[in-house]
PDB file of all heavy atoms in Angstrom:
ATOM      1  N   GLU Z 113      32.591  11.703  -8.879  1.00 81.00           N
ATOM      2  CA  GLU Z 113      33.973  11.643  -8.404  1.00 81.00           C
ATOM      3  C   GLU Z 113      34.129  12.377  -7.089  1.00 81.00           C
ATOM      4  O   GLU Z 113      35.040  12.039  -6.287  1.00 81.00           O
ATOM      5  CB  GLU Z 113      34.887  12.298  -9.469  1.00 81.00           C
ATOM      6  CG  GLU Z 113      35.023  11.590 -10.732  1.00 81.00           C
ATOM      7  CD  GLU Z 113      35.864  10.368 -10.663  1.00 81.00           C
ATOM      8  OE1 GLU Z 113      36.677  10.235  -9.692  1.00 81.00           O
ATOM      9  OE2 GLU Z 113      35.760   9.473 -11.560  1.00 81.00           O
ATOM     10  N   LYS Z 114      33.316  13.415  -6.834  1.00 80.00           N
ATOM     11  CA  LYS Z 114      33.466  14.164  -5.538  1.00 80.00           C
ATOM     12  C   LYS Z 114      33.242  13.270  -4.296  1.00 80.00           C
ATOM     13  O   LYS Z 114      33.747  13.508  -3.269  1.00 80.00           O
ATOM     14  CB  LYS Z 114      32.486  15.344  -5.490  1.00 80.00           C
ATOM     15  CG  LYS Z 114      32.843  16.430  -6.469  1.00 80.00           C
ATOM     16  CD  LYS Z 114      31.892  17.612  -6.273  1.00 80.00           C
ATOM     17  CE  LYS Z 114      30.558  17.334  -6.931  1.00 80.00           C
ATOM     18  NZ  LYS Z 114      29.622  18.422  -6.901  1.00 80.00           N
ATOM     19  N   LEU Z 115      32.497  12.202  -4.482  1.00 79.00           N
ATOM     20  CA  LEU Z 115      32.215  11.270  -3.395  1.00 79.00           C
ATOM     21  C   LEU Z 115      33.458  10.570  -2.901  1.00 79.00           C
ATOM     22  O   LEU Z 115      33.649  10.199  -1.792  1.00 79.00           O
ATOM     23  CB  LEU Z 115      31.174  10.263  -3.784  1.00 79.00           C
ATOM     24  CG  LEU Z 115      30.390   9.660  -2.621  1.00 79.00           C
ATOM     25  CD1 LEU Z 115      29.590  10.693  -1.894  1.00 79.00           C
ATOM     26  CD2 LEU Z 115      29.560   8.538  -3.134  1.00 79.00           C
ATOM     27  N   SER Z 116      34.484  10.416  -3.779  1.00 78.00           N
ATOM     28  CA  SER Z 116      35.730   9.792  -3.416  1.00 78.00           C
ATOM     29  C   SER Z 116      36.476  10.604  -2.389  1.00 78.00           C
ATOM     30  O   SER Z 116      37.336  10.128  -1.615  1.00 78.00           O
ATOM     31  CB  SER Z 116      36.573   9.534  -4.625  1.00 78.00           C
ATOM     32  OG  SER Z 116      37.069  10.801  -5.227  1.00 78.00           O
ATOM     33  N   GLU Z 117      36.167  11.907  -2.290  1.00 83.00           N
ATOM     34  CA  GLU Z 117      36.801  12.811  -1.295  1.00 83.00           C
ATOM     35  C   GLU Z 117      36.115  12.793   0.043  1.00 83.00           C
ATOM     36  O   GLU Z 117      36.595  13.335   0.986  1.00 83.00           O
ATOM     37  CB  GLU Z 117      36.804  14.236  -1.861  1.00 83.00           C
ATOM     38  CG  GLU Z 117      37.599  14.336  -3.179  1.00 83.00           C
ATOM     39  CD  GLU Z 117      37.367  15.670  -3.876  1.00 83.00           C
ATOM     40  OE1 GLU Z 117      36.752  16.561  -3.257  1.00 83.00           O
ATOM     41  OE2 GLU Z 117      37.824  15.773  -5.048  1.00 83.00           O
ATOM     42  N   CYS Z 118      34.937  12.149   0.091  1.00 83.00           N
ATOM     43  CA  CYS Z 118      34.172  12.093   1.330  1.00 83.00           C
ATOM     44  C   CYS Z 118      34.815  11.101   2.321  1.00 83.00           C
ATOM     45  O   CYS Z 118      35.202  10.040   1.894  1.00 83.00           O
ATOM     46  CB  CYS Z 118      32.744  11.682   1.128  1.00 83.00           C
ATOM     47  SG  CYS Z 118      31.720  12.888   0.243  1.00 83.00           S
ATOM     48  N   ASN Z 119      34.889  11.508   3.578  1.00 88.00           N
ATOM     49  CA  ASN Z 119      35.363  10.603   4.609  1.00 88.00           C
ATOM     50  C   ASN Z 119      34.204   9.790   5.089  1.00 88.00           C
ATOM     51  O   ASN Z 119      33.025   9.970   4.721  1.00 88.00           O
ATOM     52  CB  ASN Z 119      36.036  11.333   5.730  1.00 88.00           C
ATOM     53  CG  ASN Z 119      35.182  12.300   6.466  1.00 88.00           C
ATOM     54  OD1 ASN Z 119      33.960  12.192   6.422  1.00 88.00           O
ATOM     55  ND2 ASN Z 119      35.767  13.250   7.088  1.00 88.00           N
ATOM     56  N   SER Z 120      34.460   8.850   5.975  1.00 89.00           N
ATOM     57  CA  SER Z 120      33.395   7.943   6.480  1.00 89.00           C
ATOM     58  C   SER Z 120      32.291   8.704   7.190  1.00 89.00           C
ATOM     59  O   SER Z 120      31.117   8.328   7.155  1.00 89.00           O
ATOM     60  CB  SER Z 120      34.042   6.875   7.419  1.00 89.00           C
ATOM     61  OG  SER Z 120      34.888   6.013   6.683  1.00 89.00           O
ATOM     62  N   ASP Z 121      32.705   9.768   7.960  1.00 91.00           N
ATOM     63  CA  ASP Z 121      31.693  10.514   8.668  1.00 91.00           C
ATOM     64  C   ASP Z 121      30.689  11.194   7.729  1.00 91.00           C
ATOM     65  O   ASP Z 121      29.485  11.219   8.030  1.00 91.00           O
ATOM     66  CB  ASP Z 121      32.362  11.642   9.509  1.00 91.00           C
ATOM     67  CG  ASP Z 121      33.085  11.026  10.733  1.00 91.00           C
ATOM     68  OD1 ASP Z 121      32.833   9.912  11.106  1.00 91.00           O
ATOM     69  OD2 ASP Z 121      34.011  11.777  11.310  1.00 91.00           O
ATOM     70  N   LYS Z 122      31.148  11.731   6.656  1.00 91.00           N
ATOM     71  CA  LYS Z 122      30.291  12.361   5.625  1.00 91.00           C
ATOM     72  C   LYS Z 122      29.328  11.349   5.031  1.00 91.00           C
ATOM     73  O   LYS Z 122      28.148  11.625   4.815  1.00 91.00           O
ATOM     74  CB  LYS Z 122      31.129  13.125   4.575  1.00 91.00           C
ATOM     75  CG  LYS Z 122      30.248  13.797   3.530  1.00 91.00           C
ATOM     76  CD  LYS Z 122      29.355  14.886   4.131  1.00 91.00           C
ATOM     77  CE  LYS Z 122      28.589  15.559   3.068  1.00 91.00           C
ATOM     78  NZ  LYS Z 122      27.479  16.358   3.590  1.00 91.00           N
ATOM     79  N   LEU Z 123      29.878  10.179   4.681  1.00 90.00           N
ATOM     80  CA  LEU Z 123      29.059   9.142   4.108  1.00 90.00           C
ATOM     81  C   LEU Z 123      28.005   8.637   5.078  1.00 90.00           C
ATOM     82  O   LEU Z 123      26.808   8.438   4.743  1.00 90.00           O
ATOM     83  CB  LEU Z 123      29.924   7.963   3.636  1.00 90.00           C
ATOM     84  CG  LEU Z 123      30.809   8.252   2.452  1.00 90.00           C
ATOM     85  CD1 LEU Z 123      31.730   7.063   2.136  1.00 90.00           C
ATOM     86  CD2 LEU Z 123      30.008   8.600   1.207  1.00 90.00           C
ATOM     87  N   MET Z 124      28.382   8.570   6.341  1.00 91.00           N
ATOM     88  CA  MET Z 124      27.420   8.201   7.420  1.00 91.00           C
ATOM     89  C   MET Z 124      26.351   9.222   7.536  1.00 91.00           C
ATOM     90  O   MET Z 124      25.179   8.920   7.778  1.00 91.00           O
ATOM     91  CB  MET Z 124      28.188   7.974   8.700  1.00 91.00           C
ATOM     92  CG  MET Z 124      27.283   7.365   9.760  1.00 91.00           C
ATOM     93  SD  MET Z 124      26.646   5.723   9.410  1.00 91.00           S
ATOM     94  CE  MET Z 124      28.063   4.709   9.580  1.00 91.00           C
ATOM     95  N   GLU Z 125      26.705  10.459   7.418  1.00 92.00           N
ATOM     96  CA  GLU Z 125      25.766  11.589   7.476  1.00 92.00           C
ATOM     97  C   GLU Z 125      24.756  11.468   6.347  1.00 92.00           C
ATOM     98  O   GLU Z 125      23.542  11.642   6.574  1.00 92.00           O
ATOM     99  CB  GLU Z 125      26.530  12.921   7.431  1.00 92.00           C
ATOM    100  CG  GLU Z 125      25.627  14.080   7.567  1.00 92.00           C
ATOM    101  CD  GLU Z 125      26.507  15.384   7.527  1.00 92.00           C
ATOM    102  OE1 GLU Z 125      27.476  15.516   8.294  1.00 92.00           O
ATOM    103  OE2 GLU Z 125      26.158  16.257   6.696  1.00 92.00           O
ATOM    104  N   ILE Z 126      25.193  11.086   5.186  1.00 90.00           N
ATOM    105  CA  ILE Z 126      24.281  10.944   4.000  1.00 90.00           C
ATOM    106  C   ILE Z 126      23.308   9.818   4.300  1.00 90.00           C
ATOM    107  O   ILE Z 126      22.117   9.938   4.034  1.00 90.00           O
ATOM    108  CB  ILE Z 126      25.058  10.651   2.744  1.00 90.00           C
ATOM    109  CG1 ILE Z 126      25.895  11.926   2.351  1.00 90.00           C
ATOM    110  CG2 ILE Z 126      24.210  10.210   1.622  1.00 90.00           C
ATOM    111  CD1 ILE Z 126      26.880  11.671   1.264  1.00 90.00           C
ATOM    112  N   ILE Z 127      23.805   8.712   4.839  1.00 90.00           N
ATOM    113  CA  ILE Z 127      22.954   7.586   5.161  1.00 90.00           C
ATOM    114  C   ILE Z 127      21.949   7.978   6.257  1.00 90.00           C
ATOM    115  O   ILE Z 127      20.738   7.652   6.152  1.00 90.00           O
ATOM    116  CB  ILE Z 127      23.780   6.349   5.561  1.00 90.00           C
ATOM    117  CG1 ILE Z 127      24.602   5.849   4.398  1.00 90.00           C
ATOM    118  CG2 ILE Z 127      22.853   5.225   6.168  1.00 90.00           C
ATOM    119  CD1 ILE Z 127      23.815   5.400   3.222  1.00 90.00           C
ATOM    120  N   ALA Z 128      22.426   8.606   7.300  1.00 88.00           N
ATOM    121  CA  ALA Z 128      21.556   9.003   8.385  1.00 88.00           C
ATOM    122  C   ALA Z 128      20.465  10.011   7.932  1.00 88.00           C
ATOM    123  O   ALA Z 128      19.288   9.938   8.348  1.00 88.00           O
ATOM    124  CB  ALA Z 128      22.353   9.613   9.503  1.00 88.00           C
ATOM    125  N   GLU Z 129      20.886  10.891   7.030  1.00 90.00           N
ATOM    126  CA  GLU Z 129      19.909  11.874   6.494  1.00 90.00           C
ATOM    127  C   GLU Z 129      18.791  11.179   5.726  1.00 90.00           C
ATOM    128  O   GLU Z 129      17.649  11.686   5.776  1.00 90.00           O
ATOM    129  CB  GLU Z 129      20.672  12.851   5.570  1.00 90.00           C
ATOM    130  CG  GLU Z 129      19.850  13.902   5.001  1.00 90.00           C
ATOM    131  CD  GLU Z 129      20.716  14.824   4.088  1.00 90.00           C
ATOM    132  OE1 GLU Z 129      21.488  15.617   4.597  1.00 90.00           O
ATOM    133  OE2 GLU Z 129      20.565  14.625   2.839  1.00 90.00           O
ATOM    134  N   SER Z 130      19.105  10.093   5.106  1.00 88.00           N
ATOM    135  CA  SER Z 130      18.063   9.417   4.312  1.00 88.00           C
ATOM    136  C   SER Z 130      16.910   8.922   5.235  1.00 88.00           C
ATOM    137  O   SER Z 130      15.790   8.786   4.815  1.00 88.00           O
ATOM    138  CB  SER Z 130      18.643   8.233   3.557  1.00 88.00           C
ATOM    139  OG  SER Z 130      19.025   7.169   4.407  1.00 88.00           O
ATOM    140  N   ASP Z 131      17.177   8.666   6.502  1.00 83.00           N
ATOM    141  CA  ASP Z 131      16.197   8.183   7.463  1.00 83.00           C
ATOM    142  C   ASP Z 131      15.032   9.181   7.577  1.00 83.00           C
ATOM    143  O   ASP Z 131      13.897   8.811   7.891  1.00 83.00           O
ATOM    144  CB  ASP Z 131      16.781   7.952   8.868  1.00 83.00           C
ATOM    145  CG  ASP Z 131      17.610   6.668   8.878  1.00 83.00           C
ATOM    146  OD1 ASP Z 131      17.452   5.819   7.984  1.00 83.00           O
ATOM    147  OD2 ASP Z 131      18.396   6.571   9.817  1.00 83.00           O
ATOM    148  N   TYR Z 132      15.318  10.460   7.352  1.00 84.00           N
ATOM    149  CA  TYR Z 132      14.248  11.447   7.416  1.00 84.00           C
ATOM    150  C   TYR Z 132      13.291  11.415   6.258  1.00 84.00           C
ATOM    151  O   TYR Z 132      12.184  11.923   6.348  1.00 84.00           O
ATOM    152  CB  TYR Z 132      14.818  12.877   7.524  1.00 84.00           C
ATOM    153  CG  TYR Z 132      15.586  13.164   8.785  1.00 84.00           C
ATOM    154  CD1 TYR Z 132      16.956  13.204   8.821  1.00 84.00           C
ATOM    155  CD2 TYR Z 132      14.887  13.237  10.002  1.00 84.00           C
ATOM    156  CE1 TYR Z 132      17.686  13.458   9.979  1.00 84.00           C
ATOM    157  CE2 TYR Z 132      15.578  13.487  11.202  1.00 84.00           C
ATOM    158  CZ  TYR Z 132      16.926  13.545  11.160  1.00 84.00           C
ATOM    159  OH  TYR Z 132      17.649  13.807  12.343  1.00 84.00           O
ATOM    160  N   TYR Z 133      13.679  10.786   5.151  1.00 88.00           N
ATOM    161  CA  TYR Z 133      12.920  10.803   3.883  1.00 88.00           C
ATOM    162  C   TYR Z 133      12.414   9.416   3.418  1.00 88.00           C
ATOM    163  O   TYR Z 133      11.499   9.366   2.609  1.00 88.00           O
ATOM    164  CB  TYR Z 133      13.742  11.413   2.788  1.00 88.00           C
ATOM    165  CG  TYR Z 133      14.185  12.824   3.142  1.00 88.00           C
ATOM    166  CD1 TYR Z 133      15.483  13.047   3.579  1.00 88.00           C
ATOM    167  CD2 TYR Z 133      13.306  13.886   3.046  1.00 88.00           C
ATOM    168  CE1 TYR Z 133      15.912  14.324   3.921  1.00 88.00           C
ATOM    169  CE2 TYR Z 133      13.757  15.190   3.407  1.00 88.00           C
ATOM    170  CZ  TYR Z 133      15.013  15.355   3.822  1.00 88.00           C
ATOM    171  OH  TYR Z 133      15.454  16.647   4.170  1.00 88.00           O
ATOM    172  N   VAL Z 134      13.012   8.359   3.955  1.00 87.00           N
ATOM    173  CA  VAL Z 134      12.600   7.025   3.621  1.00 87.00           C
ATOM    174  C   VAL Z 134      11.637   6.511   4.632  1.00 87.00           C
ATOM    175  O   VAL Z 134      11.806   6.609   5.814  1.00 87.00           O
ATOM    176  CB  VAL Z 134      13.887   6.141   3.537  1.00 87.00           C
ATOM    177  CG1 VAL Z 134      13.535   4.672   3.327  1.00 87.00           C
ATOM    178  CG2 VAL Z 134      14.814   6.625   2.444  1.00 87.00           C
ATOM    179  N   LYS Z 135      10.593   5.828   4.118  1.00 84.00           N
ATOM    180  CA  LYS Z 135       9.540   5.281   4.969  1.00 84.00           C
ATOM    181  C   LYS Z 135      10.207   4.136   5.848  1.00 84.00           C
ATOM    182  O   LYS Z 135      11.144   3.505   5.439  1.00 84.00           O
ATOM    183  CB  LYS Z 135       8.458   4.603   4.157  1.00 84.00           C
ATOM    184  CG  LYS Z 135       7.667   5.573   3.324  1.00 84.00           C
ATOM    185  CD  LYS Z 135       6.507   4.828   2.604  1.00 84.00           C
ATOM    186  CE  LYS Z 135       7.039   3.729   1.719  1.00 84.00           C
ATOM    187  NZ  LYS Z 135       5.983   3.088   0.925  1.00 84.00           N
ATOM    188  N   SER Z 136       9.590   3.940   6.979  1.00 82.00           N
ATOM    189  CA  SER Z 136      10.058   2.827   7.854  1.00 82.00           C
ATOM    190  C   SER Z 136       9.545   1.531   7.229  1.00 82.00           C
ATOM    191  O   SER Z 136       8.506   1.454   6.532  1.00 82.00           O
ATOM    192  CB  SER Z 136       9.579   3.004   9.240  1.00 82.00           C
ATOM    193  OG  SER Z 136       8.153   3.000   9.303  1.00 82.00           O
ATOM    194  N   THR Z 137      10.313   0.462   7.511  1.00 81.00           N
ATOM    195  CA  THR Z 137       9.925  -0.830   6.927  1.00 81.00           C
ATOM    196  C   THR Z 137       8.987  -1.613   7.861  1.00 81.00           C
ATOM    197  O   THR Z 137       8.364  -2.557   7.440  1.00 81.00           O
ATOM    198  CB  THR Z 137      11.214  -1.694   6.698  1.00 81.00           C
ATOM    199  OG1 THR Z 137      11.778  -1.988   7.992  1.00 81.00           O
ATOM    200  CG2 THR Z 137      12.137  -1.004   5.768  1.00 81.00           C
ATOM    201  N   VAL Z 138       8.951  -1.251   9.113  1.00 70.00           N
ATOM    202  CA  VAL Z 138       8.152  -1.891  10.176  1.00 70.00           C
ATOM    203  C   VAL Z 138       8.666  -3.355  10.387  1.00 70.00           C
ATOM    204  O   VAL Z 138       7.902  -4.181  10.907  1.00 70.00           O
ATOM    205  CB  VAL Z 138       6.642  -1.828   9.892  1.00 70.00           C
ATOM    206  CG1 VAL Z 138       5.847  -2.253  11.080  1.00 70.00           C
ATOM    207  CG2 VAL Z 138       6.222  -0.503   9.366  1.00 70.00           C
ATOM    208  N   LEU Z 139       9.848  -3.674   9.985  1.00 83.00           N
ATOM    209  CA  LEU Z 139      10.439  -4.964  10.125  1.00 83.00           C
ATOM    210  C   LEU Z 139      11.422  -5.017  11.287  1.00 83.00           C
ATOM    211  O   LEU Z 139      11.895  -3.985  11.730  1.00 83.00           O
ATOM    212  CB  LEU Z 139      11.109  -5.391   8.809  1.00 83.00           C
ATOM    213  CG  LEU Z 139      10.269  -5.583   7.579  1.00 83.00           C
ATOM    214  CD1 LEU Z 139      11.117  -5.756   6.363  1.00 83.00           C
ATOM    215  CD2 LEU Z 139       9.314  -6.779   7.783  1.00 83.00           C
ATOM    216  N   ARG Z 140      11.745  -6.207  11.750  1.00 83.00           N
ATOM    217  CA  ARG Z 140      12.770  -6.319  12.779  1.00 83.00           C
ATOM    218  C   ARG Z 140      14.085  -5.901  12.183  1.00 83.00           C
ATOM    219  O   ARG Z 140      14.470  -6.309  11.121  1.00 83.00           O
ATOM    220  CB  ARG Z 140      12.814  -7.769  13.260  1.00 83.00           C
ATOM    221  CG  ARG Z 140      13.788  -7.996  14.392  1.00 83.00           C
ATOM    222  CD  ARG Z 140      13.808  -9.473  14.773  1.00 83.00           C
ATOM    223  NE  ARG Z 140      14.530  -9.601  16.005  1.00 83.00           N
ATOM    224  CZ  ARG Z 140      13.917  -9.673  17.189  1.00 83.00           C
ATOM    225  NH1 ARG Z 140      12.604  -9.665  17.285  1.00 83.00           N
ATOM    226  NH2 ARG Z 140      14.622  -9.744  18.274  1.00 83.00           N
ATOM    227  N   THR Z 141      14.803  -4.973  12.872  1.00 83.00           N
ATOM    228  CA  THR Z 141      16.029  -4.476  12.368  1.00 83.00           C
ATOM    229  C   THR Z 141      17.209  -5.452  12.560  1.00 83.00           C
ATOM    230  O   THR Z 141      17.149  -6.412  13.275  1.00 83.00           O
ATOM    231  CB  THR Z 141      16.416  -3.163  13.068  1.00 83.00           C
ATOM    232  OG1 THR Z 141      16.507  -3.350  14.472  1.00 83.00           O
ATOM    233  CG2 THR Z 141      15.421  -2.044  12.778  1.00 83.00           C
ATOM    234  N   SER Z 142      18.219  -5.152  11.809  1.00 89.00           N
ATOM    235  CA  SER Z 142      19.533  -5.924  11.877  1.00 89.00           C
ATOM    236  C   SER Z 142      20.608  -4.987  11.466  1.00 89.00           C
ATOM    237  O   SER Z 142      20.387  -3.901  10.958  1.00 89.00           O
ATOM    238  CB  SER Z 142      19.493  -7.154  10.934  1.00 89.00           C
ATOM    239  OG  SER Z 142      19.322  -6.690   9.618  1.00 89.00           O
TER     240      SER Z 142
END
């Protein structure tokens, strides 16, 4: 439920943070 209080910037921060931990796909991006 706490996620409902997050604004778009906070959600974007969570997604961007995942880039540090998720392997690259080596595929053409979109």
